[in-house]
Amino acid sequence: SQQGEEDPQALSIQEGENATMNCSYKTSINNLQWYRQNSGRGLVHLILIRSNEREKHSGRLRVTLDTSKKSSSLLITASRAADTASYFCATDGEYGNKLVFGAGTILRVKS
Amino acid sequence: SQTIHQWPATLVQPVGSPLSLECTVEGTSNPNLYWYRQAAGRGLQLLFYSVGIGQISSEVPQNLSASRPQDRQFILSSKKLLLSDSGFYLCAWSAYDTQYFGPGTRLTVL
């Protein structure tokens, strides 16, 4: 069963707008990660946030984590057409060195 | 730097034929290795993972098997493919918490 569930399933925005994707999970975690997948390609690691962190930034990416609500959000600011991809959250927790991925959010950025 | 290779990139196989997908990692030692399958428009399903040579953990009962004959080599196999084995197969390695993915193999079983 999936640990992380992303919301929305699909998102379409104009270039320059911000994109927000959410992830909810069920059990306790040590860390939560976000990955990007361009169509037909492997996944690329974006950012990792640990359970004792509340917010993390990397370039135009901002990730928040609320362990009390078992949820995380990924914000991409000033989106570009090249940001068009699927975005997945992944959690570990009780699974140790294994990650469990959600179904992903498909982001389309229109130029 | 570390790199991960998968081949072939695409594969079309008839039902009942055997399968062998290979994954190799360069630039790291004793990595954890993983095989995932991704159905169209879906998330990743963990199939197998390995923490060392000859050590394989299976996550989902199925028609597939995995082997790790060398430290940085991970092989996914099947003796007889089913239609339901079609999908995008991804290999990944990790040293700590982050996983790094290969380019994937698209398998179509006809």
Side-chain angles (χ1 to χ4, degrees):
Chain A
S1 63
Q2 292 176 338
Q3 165 78 311
E5 297 287 344
E6 287 91 343
D7 168 57
Q9 290 185 332
L11 181 61
S12 183
I13 60 174
Q14 291 294 134
E15 204 166 28
E17 294 180 338
N18 295 341
T20 300
M21 289 159 270
N22 303 297
C23 170
S24 60
Y25 57 91
K26 298 188 176 83
T27 65
S28 298
I29 61 171
N30 296 310
N31 62 67
L32 183 146
Q33 305 181 46
W34 285 91
Y35 289 79
R36 183 186 74 228
Q37 183 182 33
N38 290 89
S39 180
R41 308 291 296 274
L43 277 71
V44 174
H45 179 256
L46 294 177
I47 197 164
L48 179 152
I49 186 165
R50 301 201 181 278
S51 60
N52 61 353
E53 298 175 309
R54 292 296 168 258
E55 188 170 312
K56 205 160 182 181
H57 297 256
S58 176
R60 295 185 294 113
L61 305 180
R62 173 178 167 249
V63 168
T64 61
L65 179 63
D66 187 335
T67 53
S68 67
K69 295 181 180 178
K70 291 186 168 59
S71 67
S72 172
S73 67
L74 170 67
L75 169 68
I76 303 174
T77 60
S79 63
R80 306 166 181 169
D83 295 327
T84 294
S86 293
Y87 291 82
F88 297 90
C89 69
T91 54
D92 61 345
E94 63 180 349
Y95 303 102
N97 56 11
K98 297 183 289 182
L99 295 180
V100 179
F101 288 80
T105 293
I106 300 172
L107 173 66
R108 181 186 173 205
V109 181
K110 295 176 284 187
S111 56
Chain B
S1 64
Q2 300 88 2
T3 56
I4 179 169
H5 305 277
Q6 282 186 249
W7 63 90
T10 59
L11 192 58
V12 179
Q13 291 286 96
V15 169
S17 64
L19 173 74
S20 181
L21 303 181
E22 189 163 343
C23 171
T24 59
V25 181
E26 296 176 355
T28 186
S29 297
N30 196 32
N32 290 339
L33 296 172
Y34 307 84
W35 277 112
Y36 292 90
R37 178 170 59 204
Q38 184 179 32
R42 301 294 302 276
L44 277 68
Q45 180 187 36
L46 179 62
L47 302 175
F48 301 94
Y49 76 97
S50 171
V51 298
I53 295 174
Q55 300 178 64
I56 309 294
S57 295
S58 175
E59 292 299 297
V60 181
Q62 60 207 315
N63 185 41
L64 302 169
S65 62
S67 62
R68 186 171 177 173
Q70 299 180 45
D71 181 46
R72 289 169 286 178
Q73 184 185 31
F74 206 22
I75 297 172
L76 183 69
S77 304
S78 174
K79 292 182 180 177
K80 288 185 178 181
L81 284 169
L82 306 172
L83 285 173
S84 58
D85 291 324
S86 293
F88 191 49
Y89 288 82
L90 288 157
C91 180
W93 72 273
S94 71
Y96 298 99
D97 295 320
T98 299
Q99 293 190 12
Y100 301 91
F101 286 80
T105 294
R106 180 143 328 264
L107 172 65
T108 303
V109 183
L110 301 175

